[in-house]
Amino acid sequence: MNPSVRTKPHEVALHPLDNERLANLCGPLDENLRQIETAYDVTIARRGERCRVSGDTAQARLAGQALQYFYETAKAPLTVDDIQLGLVELRGQTMQSAAGLLTRKSDLHGRTPHQVQYLRQIQEHDITFAVGPAGTGKTYLAVASAVDAFERDQVQRIVLTRPAVEAGERLGFLPGDLAQKVDPYLRPLYDALYDLMGFDKVSRLFEKQSIEVAQLAYMRGRTLNHAFIILDEAQNTTPEKMKMCLTRIGIGAKAVVTGDVTQTDLPKGQKSGLIEARRILAGVRGLAFTDFDATDVVRHPLVARIVAAYEEHGQER
């Protein structure tokens, strides 16, 4: 907590008294309370069912509301992940239930207003762009939407692609053949698939070529019909390759393009295809753009603060 902030502590009484819920709320060594403190920049002192929240008045009240919410849901032990995801929902004021996606994770849904908007735009548009910082769920929710469309037989295959732009190391100096050199760039897409469908099912679908993961350069000359296409890390595409990818879309296909324009690994002076596409395609019907920011980060609370600090620094420059 900022030591310069002096306010009257906010008192919270957790009712009805239930020692088991209190233990589930606090977590081992009060780890869950520490997560809430970090998220709202406050200090929490607990004695029995009563909590004393010190900090900025508005933040202390929000932290008090968070304590009440988590206490009500603490019928079972709460993990750090439960706390962090709940904090994201509270921050976005999206505690109302949302329609889930048909994946192995039955409770998967948008947890912030921008995430909810993003999922809706993917359903309603043939091409959707998602632009924002790391940790906002751009790629994961895109893959979840692709799995959902595949499971509902809305598409016949899933095609995942991203540019293999060198970030600090040249591909030629990495060990292995070309496929092994490119594979690390595609790893986040594999991880999302395994999480949402299971390793065995994904492996079978790879064998049947119902799921394809490819480097962007290999997409030239193809037409992808009845496919769900995801172009990840699109900030690292050139304008020419962005156009090439977008024009691969065939009959019954849907595409999602994700990227973070603040983390471009293109050579100095090279224009980003994602930035160009935003400018050129702004008025094209059938396309949608979702802009994420630090409030959408679904990771450790400090990640959101780090993103916000960099955004502020960029504006100052």
Side-chain angles (χ1 to χ4, degrees), residues 95-128:
M95 298 312 302
Q96 69 275 18
S97 60
L101 297 171
L102 190 57
T103 71
R104 198 170 68 158
K105 301 216 170 216
S106 58
D107 64 340
L108 181 61
H109 59 273
R111 297 181 181 275
T112 72
H114 287 149
Q115 288 186 351
V116 172
Q117 176 194 36
Y118 179 42
L119 291 173
R120 184 174 63 249
Q121 288 180 333
I122 291 175
Q123 292 177 346
E124 296 175 354
H125 297 81
D126 289 336
I127 300 178
T128 304

Side-chain angles (χ1 to χ4, degrees), residues 4 17 32-33 52 54 91 105 124 128 136 155 164 178 182 192 227 232 240 248 262 266 289 301 310:
S4 65
L17 176 60
N32 293 340
L33 297 185
R52 187 182 179 91
S54 303
R91 188 170 64 229
K105 301 216 170 216
E124 296 175 354
T128 304
T136 51
V155 297
L178 181 59
V182 171
D232 193 35
E240 295 76 19
R248 299 308 93 201
T262 68
L266 291 168
F289 290 86
Y310 273 97

Side-chain angles (χ1 to χ4, degrees), residues 3 6 39 43 61 70 73 93-94 99 109 182 188 191 212 216-218 236 245 247 254 269 293 296:
R6 297 180 180 178
T43 300
R61 288 188 178 279
F70 287 119
T73 61
Q93 297 182 340
T94 56
H109 59 273
V182 171
D191 291 342
E212 176 184 353
L216 180 59
Y218 299 155
N236 288 329
C245 182
T247 53
K254 187 182 287 285
D293 56 35
D296 300 298

Side-chain angles (χ1 to χ4, degrees), residues 17-76:
L17 176 60
D18 184 326
N19 289 328
E20 184 176 357
R21 284 195 181 191
L22 280 173
N24 292 338
L25 166 66
C26 297
L29 302 176
D30 288 344
E31 174 61 25
N32 293 340
L33 297 185
R34 302 291 83 79
Q35 294 292 326
I36 296 172
E37 286 181 331
T38 300
Y40 293 103
D41 195 20
V42 297
T43 300
I44 300 173
R46 184 183 69 86
R47 187 168 186 176
E49 77 279 16
R50 295 188 172 276
C51 296
R52 187 182 179 91
V53 186
S54 303
D56 174 77
T57 301
Q59 291 297 96
R61 288 188 178 279
L62 289 174
Q65 293 171 8
L67 287 169
Q68 293 281 9
Y69 167 72
F70 287 119
Y71 183 69
E72 292 171 5
T73 61
K75 296 178 182 178

Side-chain angles (χ1 to χ4, degrees), residues 202-214:
V202 171
S203 298
R204 291 195 302 270
L205 292 174
F206 269 122
E207 291 177 1
K208 295 168 58 178
Q209 296 187 333
S210 296
I211 298 179
E212 176 184 353
V213 181

